[in-house]
Amino acid sequence: AQKVTQAQTEISVVEKEDVTLDCVYETRDTTYYLFWYKQPPSGELVFLIRRNSFDEQNEISGRYSWNFQKSTSSFNFTITASQVVDSAVYFCALSDPDSNYQLIWGAGTKLIIKP
Amino acid sequence: DAMVIQNPRYQVTQFGKPVTLSCSQTLNHNVMYWYQQKSSQAPKLLFHYYDKDFNNEADTPDNFQSRRPNTSFCFLDIRSPGLGDAAMYLCATSREWAGGKNQPQHFGDGTRLSIL
């Protein structure tokens, strides 16, 4: 069965520190998609990235970077030089044919950036 | 510019009094979703529409209904809200559903529902 594990319930760092949010997934399918969403205190879910299972290249977008490792079934998210505005709950999610491409969500990691 | 718009942002209703939440989109996406999200939890899919085809999740209570009169609008009706239905309700859209064209979902700001 599919599963997404975000073992870190809450992380607190001081502004300008780098921080990595872990995501480990389980799926039987060879074709699948992984997502990260950000949910700030205001409530909306903001799409950050989608990665398909055949693309193992790491991605960088400004201060955000993602490390996809199929060998360890992980899709970790790093924020470099964190800022207070990065404070939010971050969700990792998986979709695959077994789930009829519905999103299987991790429990989320609450990130607190202290000034 | 908001692309998935949910109204109202906050809704208060009485125990057992029907309530309707609305969602509209300017993206012309085929798929619209309704999620329920309770505090400190991940969103839970209630149902989705692929165009006019309605798909209900097996564990969605009968108390929850949905309507999609056209491409742009989708409504969530809660027929007899109970205290356990207090939550954030999120609407989302995506261009396609399955078939290897899995598109990211775009979410509205949500409606926070309180039950008195």
Side-chain angles (χ1 to χ4, degrees):
Chain A
Q2 311 93 325
K3 188 178 178 182
V4 176
T5 301
Q6 294 179 257
Q8 304 148 309
T9 305
E10 183 173 307
I11 301 174
S12 181
V13 300
V14 176
E15 201 173 19
K16 298 184 183 175
E17 287 185 15
D18 299 347
V19 59
T20 294
L21 283 61
D22 297 333
C23 174
V24 175
Y25 62 91
E26 295 176 30
T27 177
R28 297 179 304 179
D29 292 299
T30 56
T31 301
Y32 52 88
Y33 297 83
L34 295 163
F35 301 79
W36 275 95
Y37 283 87
K38 172 183 180 180
Q39 189 171 39
S42 49
E44 75 276 19
L45 276 160
V46 178
F47 166 74
L48 296 178
I49 190 171
R50 177 189 65 166
R51 175 52 50 88
N52 76 56
S53 51
F54 298 107
D55 181 2
E56 285 194 75
Q57 281 194 342
N58 291 328
E59 180 145 345
I60 298 174
S61 177
R63 296 183 296 106
Y64 294 173
S65 62
W66 289 269
N67 183 1
F68 179 28
Q69 298 270 355
K70 285 180 80 169
S71 59
T72 56
S73 297
S74 65
F75 187 43
N76 296 339
F77 172 34
T78 297
I79 301 175
T80 304
S82 59
Q83 299 176 3
V84 173
V85 293
D86 297 326
S87 297
V89 179
Y90 291 85
F91 289 97
C92 180
L94 161 76
S95 75
D96 64 10
D98 257 4
S99 66
N100 197 24
Y101 292 104
Q102 289 182 27
L103 288 174
I104 308 297
W105 297 83
T109 296
K110 183 176 183 179
L111 178 62
I112 300 169
I113 310 296
K114 298 177 183 175
Chain B
D1 293 336
M3 294 178 288
V4 181
I5 303 161
Q6 290 190 245
N7 285 306
R9 192 70 198 276
Y10 299 92
Q11 176 75 55
V12 181
T13 191
Q14 291 179 330
F15 183 94
K17 185 174 181 181
V19 64
T20 294
L21 310 182
S22 72
C23 176
S24 63
Q25 55 137 337
T26 59
L27 298 163
N28 204 33
H29 281 173
N30 287 323
V31 193
M32 294 187 78
Y33 311 77
W34 278 105
Y35 287 87
Q36 179 192 66
Q37 187 180 25
K38 296 191 175 180
S39 182
S40 303
Q41 296 182 20
K44 178 181 181 299
L45 183 64
L46 296 173
F47 23 60
H48 75 273
Y49 275 93
Y50 189 105
D51 196 12
K52 293 182 180 179
D53 292 332
F54 177 70
N55 297 270
N56 197 35
E57 292 305 298
D59 56 355
T60 298
D62 292 339
N63 202 21
F64 291 83
Q65 306 281 317
S66 185
R67 297 170 282 136
R68 189 178 184 186
N70 54 52
T71 300
S72 301
F73 285 86
C74 196
F75 300 97
L76 170 61
D77 301 309
I78 308 177
R79 291 190 296 186
S80 182
L83 296 178
D85 297 327
M88 172 78 90
Y89 290 87
L90 294 160
C91 174
T93 73
S94 64
R95 183 171 296 130
E96 291 292 343
W97 173 254
K101 300 178 183 178
N102 195 245
Q103 298 291 320
Q105 295 180 26
H106 298 271
F107 286 82
D109 289 347
T111 294
R112 189 169 294 281
L113 179 66
S114 300
I115 314 294
L116 299 180

